[in-house]
Amino acid sequence: MGKSLSRWRRQGKRLGIAVLFVVVGAGLWEFQERQHKDDYTWMGVPTWDGFHPTTFHRVLRNDGFLAGWSDVRANALWVSYQVEAVADDTRIGSRPNFKADWRTLWPIGTDSYAGSGYDRGHLAPNYAIAAVHGRSAQVDTFLMSNMTPQRPNLNRQLWQRLEESVMDHFAPRFDRLQVITGPIFPERFMDNVFNRVGFVEVPEAFYKIIVVPDEEATLALAFIMPQDVRGNEPLDDYLVTIDEIESRTGLNFFPDLSAEREAVVEGQLRTQGWALEEVARRPGRFQ
């Protein structure tokens, strides 16, 4: 009896140590994940307004950015990252190779877009992420989970001009920028369900939200750009409110904002302070 009791005590002690290890490990993991989310998001990670298969997603953490991955759309519904001004002579490494992402449910290969007429369009951009977050982060931007089908006139011209303006014009005006970008699909899922490149559903448009995360006077710009652009249109032709993007995507951005601040940041279209007119018609480097 004494030996059995002693054995149970030893086993109980080991179990207690194991439970303590799991609890401490989970706490450290949660702290680390929260730190990454704080580094790449402002006022909360984007989520869905109402649960639906087309808005449900899981968060993939990459070096330099987060992605809200949808296994239904086979797209990231959003990517979130922060950038700051870099020196004019900042150089980044050579373009990494595209690579498949084992975390996606569907096997999306590096050649999945071949012959489709669509570019492998970056959501988290190569240059901005590399210049601010380094080589490892740049490599992660070439994961296929960060790609989305974009028409060449959009990807190489209008969208590229907006990405260029973020780093060359907006970032130097402010200490830090929060950027969220992603695809927009038709309202009815069945209208687009077979419009795919391989497993990847083709979006009808793309959005980009740019925020100066100031606690007192938050500034925000938001754009929606359709696939069928010529590429030389003025950027300000595509200005919208964040509320409109939420309406078209079913997502909820900056969920930790108070109702009062949300009404201003997300509901109003204000360009004061951005000097958008200086770059709205500036040609891109590939035009």
Side-chain angles (χ1 to χ4, degrees), residues 3 5 11-12 14 19 32 47 51 53 83 85 156 194 204 217 233 241-242 262 272 286:
K3 291 182 179 179
L5 181 60
Q11 291 176 346
R14 292 193 192 102
V19 170
Q32 184 182 41
T47 185
F51 179 83
V83 296
R156 305 175 198 180
F194 297 115
E204 66 178 5
E233 298 90 341
T241 64
I242 298 173
E262 180 182 356
Q272 294 86 351
F286 299 125

Side-chain angles (χ1 to χ4, degrees), residues 260-281:
E260 295 76 15
R261 291 187 70 194
E262 180 182 356
V264 175
V265 174
E266 299 188 5
Q268 298 181 12
L269 200 164
R270 300 179 302 161
T271 60
Q272 294 86 351
W274 293 93
L276 178 60
E277 65 281 357
E278 295 181 12
V279 292
R281 290 162 176 78

